[in-house]
Amino acid sequence: MDRPSWYGYSHRQEEKVVDLGCGISKVPGSIGVDCFQDPLVDVVHDLDVFPYPFGSDTVDAVYLNHCIEHLVDPKRTLTECLRIVRPDGNIFITVPHVTNLASFGDATHRRYFSYRAIPGLANSVAVDGKKLGMDKARITSRIPFFGPLINLSPRFWEDYLCFIITGRAMYYRFVARRS
């Protein structure tokens, strides 16, 4: 499981951080939410059922670490994340790239995402005058040497090279902004 350290975000102890779909690999110091009981799961909740058990504007950061590809309605999920995160709060999304053949080995994946799909989805949601602005994005490759090259021009890579030099995962950091 990917750790979200690349985001350059380390939350303070007083911040309320939620890890949606945490499974057995919860972000340290966060409130873990998943659909099954586990010692690392603090709140048992089906993420395909709305609303989530958090008030509006009550969370400082939300992590969706290899989670959104498992859910029925990713747009509704992002809308709900935007509802619970406070203005200027962060939403972190990690998702496998569509060329990551390992993602097809997981029968619970409902969707496969390209580099442009998550920002496009994020641009389509708004809640109570809040929208998502992309702060950072990064793609990793199965061959680590290629990651920095891919990130020089992700669109070029995805348009012309991604089926030759395949991707592994994509990492996004969004900030909830008042419109």
Side-chain angles (χ1 to χ4, degrees):
M1 186 64 66
D2 293 307
R3 290 286 178 201
S5 60
W6 86 269
Y7 294 115
Y9 176 76
S10 56
H11 56 276
R12 297 181 308 276
Q13 188 171 3
E14 67 273 8
E15 288 184 307
K16 186 175 184 179
V17 177
V18 174
D19 185 349
L20 298 175
C22 68
I24 59 170
S25 184
K26 182 172 77 167
V27 172
S30 69
I31 299 166
V33 181
D34 215 316
C35 62
F36 61 88
Q37 199 78 8
D38 185 83
L40 290 178
V41 175
D42 302 301
V43 177
V44 176
H45 182 81
D46 182 347
L47 296 174
D48 285 323
V49 175
F50 304 97
Y52 293 166
F54 301 96
S56 298
D57 299 333
T58 60
V59 173
D60 295 295
V62 175
Y63 286 91
L64 289 158
N65 192 21
H66 289 284
C67 172
I68 201 165
E69 66 272 17
H70 297 270
L71 302 176
V72 172
D73 190 347
K75 183 176 181 179
R76 181 92 190 264
T77 299
L78 274 186
T79 301
E80 189 63 7
C81 291
L82 185 57
R83 179 189 69 80
I84 68 173
V85 77
R86 67 171 171 72
D88 297 322
N90 294 287
I91 297 176
F92 302 96
I93 300 170
T94 305
V95 64
H97 189 267
V98 66
T99 60
N100 181 347
L101 295 179
S103 67
F104 291 96
D106 187 339
T108 64
H109 286 188
R110 296 173 184 263
R111 300 216 172 9
Y112 303 93
F113 293 95
S114 67
Y115 174 74
R116 296 176 185 108
I118 296 292
L121 194 61
N123 285 336
S124 72
V125 301
V127 175
D128 297 330
K130 285 189 294 185
K131 292 191 67 98
L132 288 173
M134 190 164 75
D135 185 47
K136 289 184 179 182
R138 181 178 146 208
I139 302 169
T140 59
S141 174
R142 286 246 169 243
I143 304 170
F145 167 79
F146 288 113
L149 296 174
I150 289 168
N151 287 289
L152 289 174
S153 182
R155 287 178 177 230
F156 179 85
W157 166 77
E158 196 164 67
D159 286 344
Y160 301 104
L161 301 171
C162 73
F163 291 101
I164 298 168
I165 302 167
T166 59
R168 181 170 182 261
M170 300 174 292
Y171 300 80
Y172 301 91
R173 178 180 178 175
F174 293 94
V175 178
R177 306 208 191 279
R178 289 273 180 214
S179 33

